[in-house]
Amino acid sequence: MRQVIIIGSGPAGYTAAIYAARANLAPLLIASSVEAGGELMKTTEVDNFPGFPAGIQGPDLMLAMQAQAERFGTEVVLDDVVSLDLTGQVKTVTLGNGDVHEGLSVIFATGSAYRKLGLEDEERLSGQGVSWCATCDGFFFRKKTIAVVGGGDSAMEEATFLTRFADKVYVIHRKDSLRASKVMQDRAFSDPKIEFLWNKEVAHIYGEGLVNGVGLIDTVDGSETTLNLSGLFIAIGADPRTHLVHGQLDLTIEGTIAVQGRTSRTNLTGVFAAGDVIDPTYRQAVTAAASGTVAALDAEHYLASLPKDLVDSAVQASMVTDTAAEPVAV
Ligand code: NDP
């Protein structure tokens, strides 16, 4: 049995692991089978994480966080959680490979998942010209005409990045002004390859096999137009990943996991939540990391309140022998 099981491998999960491991709690971190490292694995330059004056690539930052967590004794497992029982004093976490892990506390840091437009053809043409990740798929659109949907920082970042490959990048936005930060807006506005299509919603995605165009509806006068293009990048935000805890953890009206005040405490004792999954507002790597710290400290405090023999039984099962050496084998 573990003292702490952390679910999620973004900045919140890894930072919680660094703190928990340094407190000698020998955490087990479930990092996901294909998406370990979270959203930053799909980003390029991260310019706003303190301590990197020249910026750092998203994947490099996440691999560094993982190494830091492992250095102090975190065990990282690359698998998906398929079910959870968080209600008892001992929590159980079942993985895709069938393994069942028990823990006295769980830190839930599953982040958020890309939002979809909800169009019939979106799924059909996913990977055939419809994408949610410019850094993953931009390369395939060399010298092509493509579009990005959205008006936030993600859309501006994707559009700007895609000009490295595409000849022309439309930004399709349903309003006549952007939600993105001024600096990101200015970068996109000054790029000669980017053209904004204001007050437009994507109503159809066309193409047999590969995307060849979209049907747009004007949100002001309702008029319809068609735009020929080879790729559509959807960057309209993300929703907290909470499906594993429905019916167990309380959610807020925004759909994030409800926590008590500025803590990471959920409605269930011994269960803590951190990062984008509790944050409908700020959703930055650095705020997620800070939130992971809070969760680790809350978990540590909670464990200290449990009967000593119970905690000792978990400690025995996951004792760290050398805190600065290899990941701990249990
Ligand atoms: P946001 O929620 O900020 O923006 C989503 C955008 O998509 C909005 O413009 C919204 O329109 C639009 N949208 C939402 N749903 C639909 C829909 N169904 N159809 C059409 N358009 C839709 O999400 P982001 O992912 O852009 O950003 C999330 C957070 O991450 C923010 O805090 C942002 O600052 C941060 N971020 C920071 C970056 C950086 O600093 N380098 C890079 C990327 C993100 P409307 O405006 O009308 O609501």
Side-chain angles (χ1 to χ4, degrees):
M1 183 167 60
R2 298 286 177 154
Q3 294 191 73
V4 187
I5 298 176
I6 298 165
I7 301 169
S9 55
Y14 279 137
T15 308
I18 291 165
Y19 273 75
R22 291 193 79 244
N24 218 16
L25 302 178
L28 174 70
L29 185 146
I30 315 297
S32 154
S33 58
V34 286
E35 292 184 334
E39 298 305 318
L40 281 177
M41 295 301 281
K42 298 172 186 160
T43 327
T44 50
E45 199 78 26
V46 178
D47 278 333
N48 51 12
F49 201 89
F52 300 95
I56 182 169
Q57 295 293 310
D60 292 342
L61 179 60
M62 296 320 299
L63 292 174
M65 286 191 198
Q66 179 179 344
Q68 195 172 352
E70 288 178 330
R71 176 181 158 216
F72 295 108
T74 302
E75 184 186 352
V76 176
V77 171
L78 299 179
D79 204 344
D80 299 311
V81 175
V82 292
S83 67
L84 287 165
D85 186 351
L86 302 172
T87 47
Q89 188 167 50
V90 175
K91 327 288 179 194
T92 58
V93 177
T94 305
L95 305 187
N97 66 5
D99 287 355
V100 178
H101 295 276
E102 290 183 335
L104 290 175
S105 67
V106 166
I107 295 175
F108 198 75
T110 49
S112 50
Y114 293 128
R115 221 170 261 157
K116 298 190 170 166
L117 291 169
L119 300 173
E120 225 171 74
D121 292 321
E122 196 175 0
E123 287 301 323
R124 182 176 65 83
L125 292 166
S126 167
Q128 311 297 321
V130 174
S131 171
W132 284 263
C133 179
T135 50
C136 315
D137 300 328
F139 181 80
F140 301 113
F141 297 92
R142 215 169 266 282
K143 299 198 180 302
K144 299 277 193 321
T145 295
I146 58 179
V148 176
V149 191
D153 280 338
S154 296
M156 297 312 106
E157 187 175 79
E158 301 269 277
T160 304
F161 177 76
L162 287 165
T163 58
R164 294 185 193 186
F165 309 102
D167 276 349
K168 174 92 187 172
V169 180
Y170 291 102
V171 173
I172 301 169
H173 184 40
R174 62 187 178 183
K175 291 190 184 140
D176 63 0
S177 62
L178 299 171
R179 180 193 290 240
S181 57
K182 175 100 175 49
V183 61
M184 306 279 274
Q185 292 194 24
D186 288 348
R187 202 176 294 164
F189 285 147
S190 64
D191 195 313
K193 283 187 175 179
I194 297 179
E195 182 178 336
F196 284 80
L197 300 177
W198 301 107
N199 300 315
K200 298 279 187 287
E201 260 176 8
V202 178
H204 303 283
I205 307 172
Y206 300 119
E208 292 302 324
L210 290 175
V211 169
N212 60 23
V214 290
L216 302 177
I217 292 188
D218 191 293
T219 54
V220 177
D221 62 20
S223 60
E224 296 183 25
T225 46
T226 302
L227 185 65
N228 294 328
L229 43 72
S230 317
L232 186 69
F233 286 80
I234 299 167
I236 59 171
D239 293 313
R241 267 200 205 92
T242 56
H243 61 282
L244 285 167
V245 296
H246 286 173
Q248 298 192 73
L249 296 187
D250 291 346
L251 303 182
T252 65
I253 44 167
E254 284 112 346
T256 50
I257 291 174
V259 290
Q260 297 165 23
R262 297 184 62 203
T263 76
S264 64
R265 291 198 297 268
T266 67
N267 56 300
L268 294 178
T269 49
V271 182
F272 307 89
D276 281 9
V277 80
I278 65 165
D279 179 5
T281 313
Y282 302 105
R283 302 164 40 134
Q284 303 296 303
V286 71
T287 52
S291 171
T293 304
V294 170
L297 295 175
D298 285 346
E300 193 183 341
H301 193 245
Y302 168 73
L303 289 163
S305 75
L306 293 178
K308 193 173 175 309
D309 54 342
L310 182 64
V311 176
D312 283 351
S313 64
V315 173
Q316 294 308 320
S318 55
M319 183 65 80
V320 183
T321 49
D322 178 359
T323 55
E326 295 295 310
V328 177
V330 178

